[in-house]
Amino acid sequence: MLSARSLFQEIVDDDSAYQLFCSIAASGEAQGGWENGRIAALVPESMRALAPRIARHGADEDKHGRIFNALLAKRGLEPLPVPPETDYTMLLERHGIGLAHEKLRRDEPLTEEDIVVYLSHSRVTEQRAADQMDMLVRYFGDHPEVGRAIRMISRDEDNHLAYCHEELLGLAAAGHGRTIHRVLRDSALAEIKVYRDVSLAVTAHMGRLLHWSPPKSAALAAGVRGVYAYERFGGWHRMIGLAMPERRGALDGPPVPAPAV
């Protein structure tokens, strides 16, 4: 029987598949760390109060990248180059999600609208991250090799999502509501396409590494397309709603150190 639990167990049990999985995750987290670090450095003067939280977000993402690399090192594995078709963050940028790297490399202050767009994009992508980590915690939170790391990353992703909700609600009250609504909608519809394409690419790579039969690979690809159909029909709405989180100030203070893995 195909299930998320059994599929991830296959990946964890196979060094080559595990190496690719951790390499993709580490690369994406490191990229997110760089992006948030640059945004924190370029926040406009009128929004400088946000800079420490954006920097904390970036520090968390950097930490997650180090955690995945540490999981590789624990098995004596090296990070692999990430196949371009599986590079979620790069493909998001190509679809206009996130601030352009060309802009972030300049030493010019961002605008208030840039920060509104950044937070709106983050609200969408952090929903995906939080959902995925919730699933992994449910199935592998007690796993002796990866459980501790998964639990920490999941807590961080929940904090990132809470921070996006809180900051966007404040910006909406300050008059940015129309921009936020537009960017959230456009970002969600683009993200679900990128997630589908990346999921299909990762499934194909894992199928080759794990020697899946053609029927199994076809069934998993059909499942990915089914998720996309559900999200395109209406599931994407979960990625754009805003509600004040129970935990306020989720990114205030220094980041929590990475656990030993």
Side-chain angles (χ1 to χ4, degrees):
M1 177 180 174
L2 298 179
S3 67
R5 183 196 296 270
S6 64
L7 292 172
F8 191 67
Q9 189 66 61
E10 283 190 68
I11 292 169
V12 171
D13 289 345
D14 182 273
D15 278 353
S16 295
Y18 185 74
Q19 185 179 29
L20 179 60
F21 174 85
C22 289
S23 297
I24 291 171
S27 174
E29 297 286 0
Q31 187 64 56
W34 178 82
E35 290 171 358
N36 280 279
R38 289 302 299 156
I39 292 167
L42 301 175
V43 170
E45 196 60 39
S46 60
M47 291 181 159
R48 289 308 299 172
L50 277 173
R53 294 172 200 149
I54 299 172
R56 161 72 187 276
H57 190 177
D60 283 347
E61 303 287 4
D62 279 334
K63 176 182 68 179
H64 299 168
R66 294 194 303 274
I67 288 172
F68 281 112
N69 282 324
L71 289 172
L72 286 172
K74 189 174 181 179
R75 281 205 193 177
L77 301 171
E78 294 289 332
L80 294 172
V82 175
E85 65 274 16
T86 70
D87 193 331
Y88 177 75
T89 53
M90 179 189 72
L91 293 170
L92 287 175
E93 186 192 0
R94 287 184 183 173
H95 283 74
I97 300 180
L99 299 180
H101 287 187
E102 179 184 356
K103 177 179 287 191
L104 295 181
R105 291 189 182 98
R106 299 190 210 120
D107 287 323
E108 300 174 6
L110 299 170
T111 65
E112 288 192 5
E113 182 168 342
D114 286 332
I115 301 302
V116 171
V117 168
Y118 147 73
L119 284 168
S120 300
H121 290 161
S122 296
R123 186 265 176 269
V124 170
T125 56
E126 292 299 335
Q127 182 71 60
R128 180 72 70 188
D131 289 348
Q132 289 185 313
M133 294 312 302
D134 282 347
M135 178 190 67
L136 289 178
V137 167
R138 186 162 64 251
Y139 297 139
F140 288 91
D142 294 328
H143 190 279
E145 184 174 6
V146 301
R148 190 176 180 190
I150 286 172
R151 292 194 306 272
M152 165 164 270
I153 294 172
S154 181
R155 286 193 296 270
D156 287 346
E157 300 297 2
D158 287 344
N159 284 339
H160 299 168
L161 185 57
Y163 141 80
C164 290
H165 277 267
E166 183 175 1
E167 300 301 343
L168 285 170
L169 286 168
L171 289 168
H176 296 282
R178 183 171 296 180
T179 298
I180 291 169
H181 178 76
R182 172 181 56 80
V183 176
L184 283 174
R185 183 183 186 281
D186 291 348
S187 299
L189 291 173
E191 193 278 343
I192 63 174
K193 293 178 182 177
V194 170
Y195 181 70
R196 175 200 61 193
D197 293 344
V198 168
S199 296
L200 288 171
V202 170
T203 298
H205 279 278
M206 292 300 175
R208 287 191 288 273
L209 292 171
L210 295 168
H211 309 292
W212 288 341
S213 67
K216 181 173 181 176
S217 294
L220 290 171
V224 169
R225 294 188 177 94
V227 169
Y228 172 72
Y230 161 75
E231 292 191 328
R232 184 63 185 85
F233 182 73
W236 61 274
H237 287 286
R238 80 186 190 286
M239 308 176 89
I240 68 172
L242 294 175
M244 189 59 70
E246 291 184 13
R247 182 175 182 190
R248 307 285 290 274
L251 293 190
D252 290 343
V256 177
V261 299

